[in-house]
Amino acid sequence: MKLTQQQLETHLWGAANILRGKTAGQDYKNYILSLMFYKRLCDQWENEADEAIAELERQQGRGFTETQKAVFRARGEHRYSIPQGSRWGDVLAASTNLGETLTSAMRAVSNANEELRGVFTVDWAQPAPDGSGKPLIANEVVHALIQHFNTHDLSNASVAPDVLGHAYEYLIKQFADDAGAKAGEFFTPPEVVDTLVRILEPRPGDTIYDPTGGSGGMLVHSADFLREGGHHANSAQYFAQEMNWGNAAIGKINSVLHGLEANIAAGASTITDPAFKDGAGQLRKFSLVLANFPFSDEFWWLKPEQQTDDKKKKDKLKKETFGKEGFKDNYGRFGRGTPFKAPPAGYGDYAFILHILASLTNQGRAGIVCPQGVLFRGQAEVEEETGEFDDDGNPFIKRRKADDEHLIRKALLESRLIDAVISLPLNVFYGAGVPACLLILRRQRSPERHDKVLLVYAARHFRELSNQNELRPQDVMRILVHVQAYGDATKVPDLVARHSGRIREQINAREHDEVERLEAEYADATVRLARLDAEVAERRAELATLAAKTVREKAEAALVKLEGQRDKAAAKIAERDEKMNEARRRADDDRRDVDAVGRELGALYGDADELLKHARVVDIAEIKENDFNLNIPRYVDTFEPEPRTEVSDALRDLANAELSLRTAETEMLALLRKAGHPGIQTC
């Protein structure tokens, strides 16, 4: 019997609960994800061997002995090699030094498969920091994890590959929720990734690149989009670079589980040491780039090993690295020979943007998550009074040079590379409280869009969660219709019809998944309640037959205790049912909203004044008049008017307030008189 996605998710998160709090910080995610993947590789190896042996037995019309099976098992062809002595059964058979055993087995698998190099980065035998010589993760905890994972087979025989891939993504999302602010290092909310992917529409033959790969979500969503269009996931090629080894390992596992042949480089900065180069040693070009880089990285120009807490060292390196011309770049991304200035040392945003631009083919396109500061930071060149005067009393004027970020933005706009900008709601990203936007770049743009930029204000619409905000499917639909219509009202009806149908299916699937997930999560409580209900009924029936007082009192006491246990189990089921009802209510609201948003978009594109509050196609000439400032409120009416109040309503509210005030004064005076306050006379 195959595991459902929800059963698998519950099983995997149960493993996380075993390890939580027993490693340093949020590192436990790397342990759980790597252990899950190792178990999957081992189980699939065994499954492939079993299938191959069964096929040989069928072809030869006879069964093999266990000795013969062992020979065929060792010789069989497998997708990945699992060396003898490093299989799951070997780990399961060990009883002591389990951390060393597991680490050794994982490293052996990694060394035996070129594609899996760098996947297993954790050390299960890492010593505790107190110098005691004991392992950080106790032998008992590793044993509990191994036993937990051993309860389910993770091969294709029990878990479909797409189910395992989705469960892995769910697990990453759960770890991101648990990590809070630190999650931004490895996780971009899937709604944001989906928006970027659907704007840029990956195609067969694309080379897709993420320069700050994290957990690989950009690549996986691109592959899902291709599959949705009826194409094979590997009809495109996938590349990523990730500075953090642990995050890169998560991304590699993610790509393998989703069937992607992805090239993911790790351990070096994309800016200082880009991994993908052509035969001439220059940056490799890609047709599609998707990225969510670290916002406003203060030391983007330093290699990872140089980014210490020693400020003096940073200052020294800064002087060595930055000259009059700025950062010395060997790859033609900024500085001499390009129209772009080197980004300032204080903000790394444009360093990543210019790296992405330099990594695009002549027909390439890019979708980048950016802080909104890139839209307006930096001043144009201005003339300023110095505060001094010449002999005739005329003020001295000095010319203030334009800031570097202004010059870069100006060059991007004058080169007609910015196709669209979409502002996002606050607090959509983990740990990033600054306003964010999506920047869409295209090397080649159609003639009708060549001298224009689409600006979309999408910050109004979101779902407010306890710790952050979330783009709902209907909010993504709004953005996609604005971007794909690009101001053309005739396109809107077809776009609304296309996206609303797909999004309804997405909402239905999400509702089903949430309900199934809750059923899996509370499955033990369901079984327990049924058992306790039966036991309570049985005890009550027995109680009716008891005559002796002493025996009856003991039976009644046991029944009360049993009923208390039953009530606790019933409370858990009530909790589950409330969560299910909430999931259904949310889905109903979203389905209604999809229809409402469709009608709203149709009305907006029939009313130019209303459309200006949401999206606008702006001429470059107007942007130039604004000193190449792209701050969206300069062009789109983001003002939120106060709700209209009728005068009669306002007068009624005022009269009620005055009445409440007089009543309160009367009550206060009465209390003061009763207390005999000397300033109050008693009538």
Side-chain angles (χ1 to χ4, degrees):
M1 179 179 176
K2 285 186 178 284
L3 284 173
T4 67
Q5 181 178 324
Q6 293 73 31
Q7 289 171 332
L8 180 58
E9 288 169 353
T10 300
H11 171 62
L12 295 176
W13 193 239
N17 289 331
I18 292 173
L19 192 59
R20 184 183 286 104
K22 298 178 179 67
T23 64
Q26 295 299 323
D27 287 347
Y28 78 103
K29 73 179 186 300
N30 300 81
Y31 288 87
I32 294 300
L33 293 172
S34 64
L35 183 56
M36 184 220 82
F37 186 55
Y38 169 68
K39 177 66 159 55
R40 161 68 175 186
L41 293 173
C42 291
D43 287 352
Q44 183 57 18
W45 190 94
E46 298 289 352
N47 180 55
E48 289 166 353
D50 290 339
E51 288 181 344
I53 291 169
E55 178 60 20
L56 281 173
E57 289 179 328
R58 187 190 66 77
Q59 291 174 0
Q60 297 184 20
R62 65 186 180 91
F64 297 148
T65 65
E66 290 303 316
T67 302
Q68 289 173 319
K69 286 182 180 181
V71 173
F72 286 125
R73 185 176 295 276
R75 293 177 182 173
E77 293 185 5
H78 297 274
R79 174 68 179 84
Y80 295 104
S81 174
I82 310 293
Q84 190 170 357
S86 301
R87 295 167 193 158
W88 183 257
D90 300 311
V91 172
L92 191 62
S95 58
T96 60
N97 299 322
L98 288 177
E100 293 179 9
T101 302
L102 194 52
T103 299
S104 176
M106 287 181 170
R107 287 176 179 169
V109 171
S110 180
N111 291 334
N113 299 274
E114 184 66 31
E115 188 180 343
L116 302 182
R117 297 289 171 86
V119 163
F120 299 115
T121 61
V122 296
D123 181 3
W124 290 87
Q126 178 183 352
D130 61 2
S132 63
K134 295 180 180 179
L136 176 65
I137 304 175
N139 200 70
E140 295 80 6
V141 175
V142 181
H143 179 265
L145 281 169
I146 292 171
Q147 294 302 317
H148 179 87
F149 271 101
N150 197 53
T151 57
H152 289 298
D153 171 37
L154 298 184
S155 74
N156 287 343
S158 300
V159 182
D162 61 327
V163 168
L164 191 66
H166 289 313
Y168 186 82
E169 287 184 272
Y170 167 80
L171 201 58
I172 294 174
K173 172 68 165 61
Q174 292 297 97
F175 282 126
D177 289 342
D178 208 33
K182 286 190 174 182
E185 297 176 4
F186 65 90
F187 186 77
T188 302
E191 300 80 15
V192 175
V193 181
D194 186 57
T195 302
L196 280 176
V197 167
R198 292 185 182 281
I199 287 173
L200 295 169
E201 299 181 329
R203 301 185 289 262
D206 267 331
T207 49
I208 302 173
Y209 170 53
D210 183 348
T212 51
S215 58
M218 299 285 188
L219 305 186
V220 167
H221 277 254
S222 296
D224 287 343
F225 183 85
L226 285 167
R227 289 192 185 98
E228 190 179 300
H231 307 290
H232 193 281
N234 288 309
S235 61
Q237 294 177 275
Y238 304 92
F239 304 83
Q241 182 167 351
E242 168 56 43
M243 189 164 66
N244 181 287
W245 282 100
N247 293 342
I250 294 172
K252 286 185 178 185
I253 294 172
N254 203 8
S255 64
V256 171
L257 291 178
H258 283 85
L260 307 189
E261 297 171 3
N263 185 344
I264 299 177
S269 163
T270 292
I271 301 300
T272 61
D273 296 286
F276 301 104
K277 295 185 277 290
D278 59 21
Q282 291 304 304
L283 294 182
R284 177 170 179 170
K285 308 290 185 180
F286 303 92
S287 60
L288 174 57
V289 181
L290 298 160
N292 178 14
F293 57 74
F295 283 9
S296 303
D297 184 0
E298 189 178 1
F299 296 105
W300 58 269
W301 42 272
L302 290 175
K303 295 186 177 187
E305 64 270 19
Q306 295 171 330
Q307 294 191 25
T308 67
D309 292 329
D310 187 344
K311 188 175 185 302
K312 289 183 179 180
K313 184 178 179 182
K314 287 176 179 175
D315 288 345
K316 181 175 183 290
L317 284 168
K318 179 176 176 181
K319 291 174 184 176
E320 292 175 356
T321 311
F322 275 84
K324 290 183 179 180
E325 298 299 322
F327 177 73
K328 296 172 184 175
D329 178 47
N330 297 321
Y331 302 99
R333 294 170 291 185
F334 27 77
R336 289 183 176 178
T338 77
F340 305 107
K341 290 279 293 181
Y347 293 102
D349 304 318
Y350 273 112
F352 287 100
I353 292 171
L354 294 183
H355 169 79
I356 289 166
L357 181 61
S359 301
L360 286 177
T361 63
N362 290 335
Q363 301 290 328
R365 65 238 193 255
I368 314 168
V369 180
C370 303
Q372 287 190 29
V374 303
L375 305 178
F376 53 79
R377 280 198 310 250
Q379 291 184 343
E381 184 177 286
V382 294
E383 291 184 346
E384 299 175 329
E385 295 184 6
T386 66
E388 299 177 349
F389 300 88
D390 61 19
D391 294 340
D392 297 326
N394 299 313
F396 283 114
I397 303 296
K398 70 174 181 180
R399 186 174 296 276
R400 183 185 181 280
K401 290 184 179 180
D403 294 321
D404 290 343
E405 289 196 300
H406 167 83
L407 293 173
I408 296 170
R409 185 170 58 251
K410 177 175 180 286
L412 287 170
L413 287 162
E414 289 180 334
S415 301
R416 305 305 195 262
L417 293 166
I418 300 178
D419 187 58
V421 180
I422 302 107
S423 68
L424 296 175
L426 281 171
N427 299 322
V428 169
F429 299 93
Y430 293 89
V434 299
C437 65
L438 305 180
L439 186 66
I440 309 300
L441 305 179
R442 295 183 190 271
R443 280 283 193 182
Q444 297 294 328
R445 302 172 63 205
S446 59
E448 64 271 17
R449 290 161 63 160
H450 185 260
D451 297 322
K452 301 179 184 300
V453 177
L454 171 67
L455 301 176
V456 178
Y457 183 67
R460 292 188 183 95
H461 306 291
F462 56 89
R463 175 180 286 122
E464 187 174 351
L465 302 178
S466 57
N467 295 323
Q468 64 182 115
N469 296 325
E470 175 189 68
L471 283 176
R472 301 164 297 178
Q474 57 269 34
D475 302 326
V476 174
M477 173 178 159
R478 276 193 184 91
I479 294 171
L480 294 176
V481 170
H482 286 312
V483 172
Q484 292 169 351
Y486 214 87
D488 186 348
T490 63
K491 295 180 179 179
V492 172
D494 287 343
L495 288 170
V496 166
R498 189 213 315 173
H499 288 300
S500 60
R502 176 184 61 81
I503 284 172
R504 281 192 194 91
E505 292 179 2
Q506 185 179 345
I507 293 168
N508 293 342
R510 179 182 290 186
E511 178 188 13
H512 174 268
D513 286 349
E514 288 186 13
V515 170
E516 292 285 310
R517 192 173 291 124
L518 287 166
E519 287 182 349
E521 181 182 344
Y522 287 84
D524 289 345
T526 304
V527 172
R528 179 174 171 77
L529 178 60
R531 178 177 60 79
L532 289 170
D533 274 338
E535 287 186 23
V536 166
E538 184 180 342
R539 294 289 180 87
R540 283 176 177 168
E542 291 176 356
L543 188 62
T545 65
L546 298 177
K549 181 179 179 182
T550 304
V551 175
R552 185 178 179 85
E553 287 175 348
K554 287 183 179 180
E556 286 175 343
L559 178 59
V560 169
K561 183 177 180 180
L562 195 62
E563 286 175 334
Q565 294 174 351
R566 192 271 315 272
D567 291 344
K568 287 182 179 179
K572 292 290 289 183
I573 297 304
E575 178 183 87
R576 179 205 66 182
D577 292 345
E578 177 53 35
K579 289 180 179 179
M580 285 182 175
N581 290 334
E582 175 57 30
R584 293 184 176 110
R585 284 194 296 269
R586 188 164 56 243
D588 286 340
D589 290 343
D590 286 349
R591 280 187 284 265
R592 283 192 296 271
D593 274 359
V594 171
D595 295 331
V597 169
R599 293 190 297 270
E600 174 193 316
L601 287 166
L604 279 180
Y605 280 84
D607 186 335
D609 290 335
E610 281 299 309
L611 183 58
L612 282 176
K613 298 177 182 178
H614 301 268
R616 187 177 167 215
V617 178
V618 184
D619 288 330
I620 289 289
E622 183 179 346
I623 296 173
K624 182 178 180 180
E625 289 175 0
N626 280 287
D627 286 330
F628 298 97
N629 187 313
L630 276 177
N631 194 19
I632 290 181
R634 284 184 176 238
Y635 308 94
V636 178
D637 181 9
T638 63
F639 177 72
E640 299 288 350
E642 291 290 331
R644 181 183 175 86
T645 303
E646 296 293 333
V647 174
S648 58
D649 293 336
L651 290 173
R652 184 183 64 250
D653 291 342
L654 177 61
N656 289 336
E658 289 176 341
L659 178 60
S660 296
L661 177 61
R662 288 194 296 271
T663 302
E665 287 177 344
T666 301
E667 292 174 350
M668 182 183 70
L669 289 171
L671 289 171
L672 290 171
R673 291 190 190 100
K674 186 176 181 180
H677 195 280
I680 305 296
Q681 295 182 356
T682 304
C683 298

PDB file of all heavy atoms in Angstrom, residues 52 100 143 148 169 190 253 392 400 428 581 586 611 666 674 678:
ATOM      1  N   ALA A  52      14.687  -6.156 -10.575  1.00  0.00           N
ATOM      2  CA  ALA A  52      15.565  -6.795 -11.559  1.00  0.00           C
ATOM      3  C   ALA A  52      15.585  -8.313 -11.373  1.00  0.00           C
ATOM      4  O   ALA A  52      15.536  -9.082 -12.347  1.00  0.00           O
ATOM      5  CB  ALA A  52      16.985  -6.227 -11.432  1.00  0.00           C
ATOM      6  N   GLU A 100      28.838   7.823  14.056  1.00  0.00           N
ATOM      7  CA  GLU A 100      29.975   7.532  13.190  1.00  0.00           C
ATOM      8  C   GLU A 100      29.557   6.598  12.056  1.00  0.00           C
ATOM      9  O   GLU A 100      29.969   6.773  10.903  1.00  0.00           O
ATOM     10  CB  GLU A 100      31.102   6.893  13.999  1.00  0.00           C
ATOM     11  CG  GLU A 100      31.736   7.834  15.013  1.00  0.00           C
ATOM     12  CD  GLU A 100      32.839   7.146  15.811  1.00  0.00           C
ATOM     13  OE1 GLU A 100      33.201   6.015  15.452  1.00  0.00           O
ATOM     14  OE2 GLU A 100      33.325   7.756  16.789  1.00  0.00           O
ATOM     15  N   HIS A 143      19.529   6.511  17.361  1.00  0.00           N
ATOM     16  CA  HIS A 143      18.814   5.230  17.300  1.00  0.00           C
ATOM     17  C   HIS A 143      17.316   5.457  17.123  1.00  0.00           C
ATOM     18  O   HIS A 143      16.663   4.767  16.305  1.00  0.00           O
ATOM     19  CB  HIS A 143      19.086   4.425  18.577  1.00  0.00           C
ATOM     20  CG  HIS A 143      18.379   3.101  18.626  1.00  0.00           C
ATOM     21  ND1 HIS A 143      17.151   2.933  19.248  1.00  0.00           N
ATOM     22  CD2 HIS A 143      18.704   1.889  18.104  1.00  0.00           C
ATOM     23  CE1 HIS A 143      16.760   1.694  19.116  1.00  0.00           C
ATOM     24  NE2 HIS A 143      17.685   1.021  18.427  1.00  0.00           N
ATOM     25  N   HIS A 148      12.604   5.328  13.688  1.00  0.00           N
ATOM     26  CA  HIS A 148      11.456   6.068  13.147  1.00  0.00           C
ATOM     27  C   HIS A 148      11.425   5.962  11.622  1.00  0.00           C
ATOM     28  O   HIS A 148      10.382   5.653  11.034  1.00  0.00           O
ATOM     29  CB  HIS A 148      11.544   7.538  13.566  1.00  0.00           C
ATOM     30  CG  HIS A 148      10.418   8.385  13.040  1.00  0.00           C
ATOM     31  ND1 HIS A 148       9.218   8.509  13.702  1.00  0.00           N
ATOM     32  CD2 HIS A 148      10.300   9.133  11.909  1.00  0.00           C
ATOM     33  CE1 HIS A 148       8.411   9.297  13.014  1.00  0.00           C
ATOM     34  NE2 HIS A 148       9.049   9.692  11.918  1.00  0.00           N
ATOM     35  N   GLU A 169       9.306  19.316  -0.185  1.00  0.00           N
ATOM     36  CA  GLU A 169       9.054  20.764  -0.207  1.00  0.00           C
ATOM     37  C   GLU A 169       8.250  21.191   1.022  1.00  0.00           C
ATOM     38  O   GLU A 169       8.498  22.255   1.609  1.00  0.00           O
ATOM     39  CB  GLU A 169       8.300  21.136  -1.486  1.00  0.00           C
ATOM     40  CG  GLU A 169       9.150  21.098  -2.736  1.00  0.00           C
ATOM     41  CD  GLU A 169       8.374  21.574  -3.947  1.00  0.00           C
ATOM     42  OE1 GLU A 169       7.718  20.721  -4.582  1.00  0.00           O
ATOM     43  OE2 GLU A 169       8.404  22.778  -4.244  1.00  0.00           O
ATOM     44  N   PRO A 190       6.750  30.016  -1.750  1.00  0.00           N
ATOM     45  CA  PRO A 190       6.416  29.436  -3.061  1.00  0.00           C
ATOM     46  C   PRO A 190       5.504  30.308  -3.906  1.00  0.00           C
ATOM     47  O   PRO A 190       5.568  30.257  -5.137  1.00  0.00           O
ATOM     48  CB  PRO A 190       5.744  28.103  -2.695  1.00  0.00           C
ATOM     49  CG  PRO A 190       5.362  28.222  -1.254  1.00  0.00           C
ATOM     50  CD  PRO A 190       6.355  29.141  -0.632  1.00  0.00           C
ATOM     51  N   ILE A 253      19.433  17.891  -3.065  1.00  0.00           N
ATOM     52  CA  ILE A 253      18.468  16.823  -2.763  1.00  0.00           C
ATOM     53  C   ILE A 253      17.120  17.161  -3.402  1.00  0.00           C
ATOM     54  O   ILE A 253      16.467  16.299  -4.003  1.00  0.00           O
ATOM     55  CB  ILE A 253      18.319  16.641  -1.248  1.00  0.00           C
ATOM     56  CG1 ILE A 253      19.628  16.132  -0.631  1.00  0.00           C
ATOM     57  CG2 ILE A 253      17.179  15.676  -0.917  1.00  0.00           C
ATOM     58  CD1 ILE A 253      19.635  16.103   0.886  1.00  0.00           C
ATOM     59  N   ASP A 392      31.020  89.922  -4.972  1.00  0.00           N
ATOM     60  CA  ASP A 392      29.773  90.589  -5.380  1.00  0.00           C
ATOM     61  C   ASP A 392      28.550  90.063  -4.641  1.00  0.00           C
ATOM     62  O   ASP A 392      27.412  90.463  -4.933  1.00  0.00           O
ATOM     63  CB  ASP A 392      29.559  90.412  -6.894  1.00  0.00           C
ATOM     64  CG  ASP A 392      30.661  91.070  -7.697  1.00  0.00           C
ATOM     65  OD1 ASP A 392      31.156  92.125  -7.233  1.00  0.00           O
ATOM     66  OD2 ASP A 392      31.023  90.538  -8.758  1.00  0.00           O
ATOM     67  N   ARG A 400      27.409  68.489  -7.234  1.00  0.00           N
ATOM     68  CA  ARG A 400      27.461  67.239  -6.478  1.00  0.00           C
ATOM     69  C   ARG A 400      27.248  66.090  -7.448  1.00  0.00           C
ATOM     70  O   ARG A 400      26.249  66.020  -8.169  1.00  0.00           O
ATOM     71  CB  ARG A 400      26.363  67.222  -5.412  1.00  0.00           C
ATOM     72  CG  ARG A 400      26.366  65.994  -4.515  1.00  0.00           C
ATOM     73  CD  ARG A 400      25.160  66.011  -3.582  1.00  0.00           C
ATOM     74  NE  ARG A 400      25.140  64.872  -2.690  1.00  0.00           N
ATOM     75  CZ  ARG A 400      24.728  63.658  -3.031  1.00  0.00           C
ATOM     76  NH1 ARG A 400      24.304  63.435  -4.270  1.00  0.00           N
ATOM     77  NH2 ARG A 400      24.740  62.671  -2.158  1.00  0.00           N
ATOM     78  N   VAL A 428       6.209  39.553   3.579  1.00  0.00           N
ATOM     79  CA  VAL A 428       5.957  38.329   2.829  1.00  0.00           C
ATOM     80  C   VAL A 428       7.133  37.368   2.973  1.00  0.00           C
ATOM     81  O   VAL A 428       6.959  36.152   2.901  1.00  0.00           O
ATOM     82  CB  VAL A 428       5.700  38.649   1.337  1.00  0.00           C
ATOM     83  CG1 VAL A 428       5.697  37.398   0.489  1.00  0.00           C
ATOM     84  CG2 VAL A 428       4.361  39.367   1.186  1.00  0.00           C
ATOM     85  N   ASN A 581     -12.465  22.729   9.581  1.00  0.00           N
ATOM     86  CA  ASN A 581     -13.492  23.709   9.223  1.00  0.00           C
ATOM     87  C   ASN A 581     -12.876  25.040   8.828  1.00  0.00           C
ATOM     88  O   ASN A 581     -13.346  25.703   7.897  1.00  0.00           O
ATOM     89  CB  ASN A 581     -14.462  23.901  10.394  1.00  0.00           C
ATOM     90  CG  ASN A 581     -15.334  22.680  10.628  1.00  0.00           C
ATOM     91  OD1 ASN A 581     -15.582  21.900   9.706  1.00  0.00           O
ATOM     92  ND2 ASN A 581     -15.803  22.496  11.852  1.00  0.00           N
ATOM     93  N   ARG A 586     -11.556  28.965   4.735  1.00  0.00           N
ATOM     94  CA  ARG A 586     -10.557  29.741   4.011  1.00  0.00           C
ATOM     95  C   ARG A 586     -10.630  29.449   2.508  1.00  0.00           C
ATOM     96  O   ARG A 586     -10.541  30.359   1.679  1.00  0.00           O
ATOM     97  CB  ARG A 586      -9.167  29.416   4.560  1.00  0.00           C
ATOM     98  CG  ARG A 586      -8.065  30.301   4.008  1.00  0.00           C
ATOM     99  CD  ARG A 586      -6.817  30.209   4.856  1.00  0.00           C
ATOM    100  NE  ARG A 586      -6.344  28.840   4.997  1.00  0.00           N
ATOM    101  CZ  ARG A 586      -6.281  28.184   6.143  1.00  0.00           C
ATOM    102  NH1 ARG A 586      -6.654  28.759   7.284  1.00  0.00           N
ATOM    103  NH2 ARG A 586      -5.829  26.944   6.188  1.00  0.00           N
ATOM    104  N   LEU A 611      -7.819  52.129 -12.577  1.00  0.00           N
ATOM    105  CA  LEU A 611      -6.656  51.322 -12.922  1.00  0.00           C
ATOM    106  C   LEU A 611      -5.372  51.966 -12.412  1.00  0.00           C
ATOM    107  O   LEU A 611      -4.425  51.271 -12.019  1.00  0.00           O
ATOM    108  CB  LEU A 611      -6.587  51.116 -14.438  1.00  0.00           C
ATOM    109  CG  LEU A 611      -5.445  50.220 -14.953  1.00  0.00           C
ATOM    110  CD1 LEU A 611      -5.519  48.834 -14.335  1.00  0.00           C
ATOM    111  CD2 LEU A 611      -5.481  50.145 -16.475  1.00  0.00           C
ATOM    112  N   THR A 666     -21.589  62.204  35.672  1.00  0.00           N
ATOM    113  CA  THR A 666     -22.594  62.054  36.731  1.00  0.00           C
ATOM    114  C   THR A 666     -22.229  60.905  37.673  1.00  0.00           C
ATOM    115  O   THR A 666     -22.310  61.031  38.895  1.00  0.00           O
ATOM    116  CB  THR A 666     -23.984  61.806  36.104  1.00  0.00           C
ATOM    117  OG1 THR A 666     -24.311  62.908  35.254  1.00  0.00           O
ATOM    118  CG2 THR A 666     -25.042  61.653  37.186  1.00  0.00           C
ATOM    119  N   LYS A 674     -20.273  60.041  47.610  1.00  0.00           N
ATOM    120  CA  LYS A 674     -20.418  58.895  48.503  1.00  0.00           C
ATOM    121  C   LYS A 674     -19.173  58.694  49.352  1.00  0.00           C
ATOM    122  O   LYS A 674     -19.236  58.270  50.507  1.00  0.00           O
ATOM    123  CB  LYS A 674     -20.710  57.644  47.671  1.00  0.00           C
ATOM    124  CG  LYS A 674     -21.031  56.410  48.508  1.00  0.00           C
ATOM    125  CD  LYS A 674     -21.407  55.247  47.606  1.00  0.00           C
ATOM    126  CE  LYS A 674     -21.741  54.020  48.449  1.00  0.00           C
ATOM    127  NZ  LYS A 674     -22.109  52.865  47.596  1.00  0.00           N
ATOM    128  N   PRO A 678     -14.071  66.286  50.017  1.00  0.00           N
ATOM    129  CA  PRO A 678     -14.348  67.655  50.520  1.00  0.00           C
ATOM    130  C   PRO A 678     -14.738  68.648  49.428  1.00  0.00           C
ATOM    131  O   PRO A 678     -15.390  69.652  49.718  1.00  0.00           O
ATOM    132  CB  PRO A 678     -13.017  68.057  51.165  1.00  0.00           C
ATOM    133  CG  PRO A 678     -11.987  67.158  50.544  1.00  0.00           C
ATOM    134  CD  PRO A 678     -12.677  65.878  50.291  1.00  0.00           C
TER     135      PRO A 678
END
